[in-house]
Amino acid sequence: MNYQFIRYEIADGVATLTLNRPDVLNSFHRPMADETIDALRRTADDPAVRAVVLTGAGRAFCAGQNLQAVLPREGEPAPDLGEIVRAQYNPIIRLIRHTEKPFVAAVNGAAAGAGANIALACDFVVAAENATFIQAFSRIGLIPDSGGTFLLPRLVGLARATALMMLAEKLPATEAHAMGLIYRVCPADRLMDEAMALARRLAAMPTRALGMIKRALNRTFTNDLDAQLKLEAELQAEAGRTHDYQEGVAAFLEKRTPVFQGR
């Protein structure tokens, strides 16, 4: 598929997906959402991709939904915002969370609304010092979507999540890092170097084991202890049958650096 509103590149086992509508702060309309979903499906299916970097072109990461694309037109019924969420944002969040490969969000500027929650759905968030996060929904009479009401309480607790969502105040990257919302903050001119170094490191690791860690972390939100212990045993059995486990043990015994192949 030839993309018009995103860029998609693969190098060194890392797929880089760049939201590419900088003139509107990479805000989503349906065509960009469709392209993003297509690219994310490609990352899931391509064995050459062992880690993913998600970022934005220009001075913003993503400003969320482009409101111009959903304004009611004269003489027509108002757009069904729930259907837009179901068609555009839910598939993106599901693909990020259920693709068993590590995702790194490189947040280069403002991450607002759905844009913030897409970043927070990634396994690692590396943000520039000048980046900001804002749950902007309540400012226009909406509720957080794109997994926001699920992710935020689990990342920072109910009290902070409530404040972030109801007050819709802009959160600087340094404060987001201090409260445990994101993984790392770095100077803006170092952002892509830091994010790509992390992604390349992840791409050289045992991909299936990382994917199983992600599967277990997803399930811990809903499992009780006994169910999680059962899942750990099942996943450990699966991991023990992988090529990378055999390579890891052999490298340990031979006192050398393992060469993992992601299988």
Side-chain angles (χ1 to χ4, degrees):
M1 182 175 180
N2 293 321
Y3 298 128
Q4 183 178 354
F5 303 109
I6 67 169
R7 297 198 303 265
Y8 184 77
E9 304 160 304
I10 301 174
D12 301 323
V14 177
T16 303
L17 194 167
T18 305
L19 305 176
N20 192 28
R21 300 181 70 217
D23 54 322
V24 289
L25 304 182
N26 303 315
S27 60
F28 274 91
H29 59 2
R30 182 61 183 265
M32 190 172 86
D34 288 344
E35 290 184 3
T36 301
I37 291 166
D38 183 83
L40 290 173
R41 286 173 176 157
R42 288 175 61 183
T43 68
D45 295 337
D46 189 348
V49 174
R50 294 172 61 188
V52 183
V53 171
L54 181 59
T55 193
R59 60 191 179 91
F61 176 77
C62 175
Q65 174 65 39
N66 186 328
L67 295 179
Q68 292 293 331
V70 295
L71 288 176
R73 289 177 167 79
E74 187 174 353
E76 297 182 10
D80 182 344
L81 298 186
E83 181 53 35
I84 291 169
V85 170
R86 285 187 286 270
Q88 294 183 192
Y89 299 110
N90 289 357
I92 291 172
I93 299 302
R94 288 191 178 105
L95 282 161
I96 292 172
R97 290 309 313 161
H98 296 309
T99 297
E100 294 194 350
K101 299 174 183 182
F103 278 68
V104 177
V107 180
N108 52 304
N117 293 333
I118 288 169
L120 297 176
C122 293
D123 302 294
F124 297 86
V125 180
V126 181
E129 288 174 334
N130 62 339
T132 57
F133 299 82
I134 180 170
Q135 297 292 318
F137 303 91
S138 68
R139 292 189 174 190
I140 55 170
L142 296 177
I143 74 154
D145 56 35
S146 307
T149 62
F150 182 88
L151 293 165
L152 279 166
R154 289 164 170 81
L155 289 168
V156 296
L158 183 60
R160 281 176 167 165
T162 300
L164 290 170
M165 289 188 281
M166 288 191 178
L167 299 177
E169 294 175 342
K170 189 178 293 185
L171 182 70
T174 51
E175 292 184 27
H177 179 258
M179 68 171 59
L181 187 66
I182 64 175
Y183 173 63
R184 183 181 296 171
V185 177
C186 64
D189 61 358
R190 291 285 305 157
L191 175 67
M192 290 309 297
D193 289 341
E194 295 267 357
M196 292 303 298
L198 174 60
R200 284 191 291 267
R201 175 182 173 187
L202 292 163
M205 294 177 71
T207 309
R208 289 189 60 194
L210 298 185
M212 284 184 264
I213 291 171
K214 189 168 180 176
R215 196 189 318 173
L217 290 173
N218 283 337
R219 295 281 290 278
T220 195
F221 292 141
T222 54
N223 277 351
D224 61 18
L225 176 60
D226 287 339
Q228 196 70 8
L229 290 172
K230 180 176 182 290
L231 176 64
E232 287 176 354
E234 292 168 355
L235 293 177
Q236 200 70 296
E238 184 178 342
R241 294 189 291 269
T242 64
H243 173 276
D244 282 344
Y245 167 70
Q246 297 175 22
E247 166 63 11
V249 172
F252 175 80
L253 294 175
E254 296 165 13
K255 296 181 173 56
R256 61 175 174 82
T257 301
V259 180
F260 296 118
Q261 298 181 18
R263 57 187 181 90

